[in-house]
Structure formats: C-alpha cells, structure tokens
C-alpha cells in the first residue's frame, strides 16, 4: 500500500477497532468474497470450537485446506459478528 502497510498490519488494525467497538460486522461486510461466503459457515463452526485467539488449531482442523490470510479474514468476520 502507499504507506507500506502489509496485509497482517491492516488486519491487526481492523481487529483492534473491532475490539474497541468501533467496527461491526456491517462495517466490514464488503471484504467477504463470494468464495469466502460459501465457506464461512464451516469456518464459524471451527472458530466456535477453537476460539479466535490462535489460527493454527483452526488451520489444522480444516486439514490445512485454507491459507492463513483466508482464516484471518474469516476471524475478522467472526469477531465483528460477536462484538
């Protein structure tokens, strides 16, 4: 990006805004791609089981089928929905 922010930095900022109650699910709904929309129910279930603090248990349970960036976006959605 123009300020040199990488994906992880941007996600981290969004996570902080969600935690502070400054963003909700409707604020970030635009980042849900049609592909992510299809797998979100499965991802929500796995996040409900393992929590949102660590991605590795979610990644492993899903058979390493989805990359970490996809899981980070899904976690944002889950956090925003539960904020």
């Amino acid at each position: 990006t123009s300020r040199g922010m990488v994906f992880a930095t941007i996600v981290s900022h969004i996570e902080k805004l969600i935690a502070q109650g400054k963003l909700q699910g409707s604020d970030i709904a635009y980042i849900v791609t049609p592909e992510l929309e299809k797998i979100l129910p499965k991802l929500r279930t796995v996040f409900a089981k393992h929590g949102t603090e660590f991605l590795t248990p979610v990644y492993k349970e899903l058979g390493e089928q989805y990359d970490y960036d996809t899981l980070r976006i899904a976690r944002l959605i889950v956090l925003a929905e539960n904020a």
Side-chain angles (χ1 to χ4, degrees), residues 8-52:
T9 304
I10 294 167
V11 169
S12 175
H13 288 304
I14 294 171
E15 286 173 339
K16 288 176 188 171
L17 290 169
I18 291 168
Q20 294 168 356
K22 295 180 180 177
L23 287 179
Q24 299 173 344
S26 60
D27 297 319
I28 61 170
Y30 68 91
I31 66 174
V32 179
T33 63
E35 296 81 14
L36 182 58
E37 186 69 39
K38 289 177 191 171
I39 61 172
L40 261 176
K42 181 191 319 183
L43 298 179
R44 284 185 184 107
T45 299
V46 178
F47 275 114
K49 178 178 178 182
H50 292 286
T52 56

Side-chain angles (χ1 to χ4, degrees), residues 34-72:
E35 296 81 14
L36 182 58
E37 186 69 39
K38 289 177 191 171
I39 61 172
L40 261 176
K42 181 191 319 183
L43 298 179
R44 284 185 184 107
T45 299
V46 178
F47 275 114
K49 178 178 178 182
H50 292 286
T52 56
E53 187 174 359
F54 301 107
L55 291 175
T56 300
V58 174
Y59 179 73
K60 296 288 186 189
E61 171 141 342
L62 294 167
E64 303 176 6
Q65 188 174 353
Y66 306 105
D67 63 38
Y68 278 94
D69 287 345
T70 298
L71 296 180
R72 285 182 183 96

